[in-house]
Amino acid sequence: MPVNDRQANLAARARLIAELRTGRLLSLTGAGLSAWAGYPTWQGFLWRVTEIVRTKEGSETVIRQTERIADPLVRARRLSSFLGAEFGQIFQEEFGPRNTLPDEVLYRFVALPFRHHTTLNFDPSITLALSAIYRAHNVLSSVRR
């Protein structure tokens, strides 16, 4: 017999609340949270880049090759080698700062009493949300070597 999802969810929520109260929890986020700020998931980004590549002359071989690649980073690398500098422009358009407000979910998430937020994303949505709610924070990025 399947576990009662409602009971399991209530128990998990109670454990999360108890742990949040300790002030020791760290958050680790990815594209699922950034999507609430209007950013694409990796699959959405790769789909857009693939469609742009498809419009270029001589792209048939690249399209066939990349459609068989399961690893999104390897796939992105292959598409970027075909597009050259244009890939960087597309990347900046997709993951650069937005002029729109993110969904309330993002603000509620950063307002939770996590000790630290870590994100695997390229976009600045966590930092901007922390600033918007006036929560002090420092940014450490691998981009700033």
Side-chain angles (χ1 to χ4, degrees):
M1 173 175 262
V3 175
N4 182 324
D5 286 340
R6 179 168 165 64
Q7 287 179 344
N9 284 339
L10 289 172
R13 184 178 75 178
R15 287 191 311 274
L16 176 61
I17 291 169
E19 290 298 323
L20 282 169
R21 287 184 175 138
T22 68
R24 297 182 318 212
L25 283 189
L26 310 176
S27 78
L28 175 63
T29 63
L33 190 61
S34 291
W36 290 100
Y39 291 97
T41 62
W42 260 110
Q43 291 306 317
F45 173 71
L46 291 174
W47 178 84
R48 178 168 182 238
V49 172
T50 301
E51 291 307 302
I52 291 169
V53 167
R54 199 179 302 278
T55 67
K56 310 287 183 186
E57 190 168 324
S59 66
E60 299 82 18
T61 303
V62 174
I63 296 296
R64 277 195 307 276
Q65 289 173 347
T66 57
E67 287 177 339
R68 293 183 294 216
I69 299 172
D71 185 319
L73 292 177
V74 174
R75 197 164 158 200
R77 186 176 300 125
R78 180 68 179 107
L79 292 168
S80 71
S81 67
F82 181 79
L83 289 172
E86 187 179 358
F87 182 86
Q89 293 167 340
I90 298 165
F91 192 89
Q92 182 60 39
E93 288 171 14
E94 291 292 316
F95 294 106
R98 300 269 193 243
N99 291 326
T100 58
L101 293 174
D103 191 273
E104 182 182 344
V105 167
L106 199 62
Y107 296 115
R108 287 182 180 259
F109 183 81
V110 298
L112 291 170
F114 287 107
R115 182 176 179 185
H116 178 79
H117 292 283
T118 301
T119 183
L120 303 175
N121 298 329
F122 300 108
D123 67 83
S125 59
I126 293 284
T127 301
L128 295 174
L130 286 165
S131 295
I133 67 167
Y134 303 106
R135 173 145 312 155
H137 61 280
N138 294 316
V139 176
L140 177 62
S141 172
S142 62
V143 175
R144 299 180 187 169
R145 293 183 183 166

